């Protein structure tokens, strides 16, 4: 089993912000289950995420309700190859206030250190992951859904991955929210 760190990616609010960020963001139409969605994507995100993975030895993976659709509609438009997908949509909901994706992420990481870029995570998610027996070191990067992923988010992840969060970790190895 690989011990390479993971970088987990959400789409909406992270790669697809709620409002267009500058001229480099391009509007795309995606058709999912007969519905047309408009997304605003910036190719620089793909290059930046690929560089983060390459420099840190991390593996990128989707942690989004887009699931496999992210490999069809999002990845190619930002310049990412097909990535592993964490299945998250078959879930009844929260048990302790955590986001419905959090339990699936906890199972998927299987002890590997990870950074998770998402716009819907908070203290209940951090606590759930901290208490889950199969979760090791992690960093939750809260992304403002209005602006999406920024260089500051990537820098924080890069720094954490370089030192596995040394100095920012509590006793259990999790970066505080």
């Amino acid at each position: 089993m690989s011990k390479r760190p993971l970088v987990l990616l959400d789409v909406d609010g992270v790669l697809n912000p709620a409002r267009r960020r500058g001229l480099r963001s391009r509007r795309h139409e995606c058709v999912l289950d007969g519905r047309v969605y408009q997304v605003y994507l910036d190719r620089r995100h793909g290059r930046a995420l690929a560089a983060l993975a390459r420099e840190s030895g991390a593996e990128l993976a989707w942690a989004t309700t887009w699931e496999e659709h992210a490999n069809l509609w999002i990845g190619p438009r930002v310049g990412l190859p097909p990535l592993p997908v964490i299945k998250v949509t078959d879930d009844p909901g929260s048990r302790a206030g955590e986001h419905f994706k959090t339990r699936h992420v906890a199972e998927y990481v299987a002890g590997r250190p990870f950074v998770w870029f998402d716009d819907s995570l908070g203290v209940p998610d951090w606590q759930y992951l901290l208490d889950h027996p199969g979760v090791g070191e992690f960093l939750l990067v809260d992304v403002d859904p209005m602006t999406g992923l920024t260089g500051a988010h990537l820098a924080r992840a890069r720094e954490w991955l370089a030192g596995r969060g040394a100095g920012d970790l509590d006793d259990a190895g999790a970066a505080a929210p």
Side-chain angles (χ1 to χ4, degrees), residues 5-37:
L6 291 160
V7 174
L8 308 180
L9 305 170
D10 185 24
V11 171
D12 294 319
V14 176
L15 298 180
N16 173 33
R19 68 173 181 233
R20 186 175 183 170
R21 288 187 59 219
L23 298 175
R24 293 192 183 193
S25 293
R26 300 277 185 249
R27 184 173 66 93
H28 302 274
E29 289 189 352
C30 307
V31 181
L32 304 173
D33 301 324
R35 291 187 60 194
V36 177
Y37 294 89

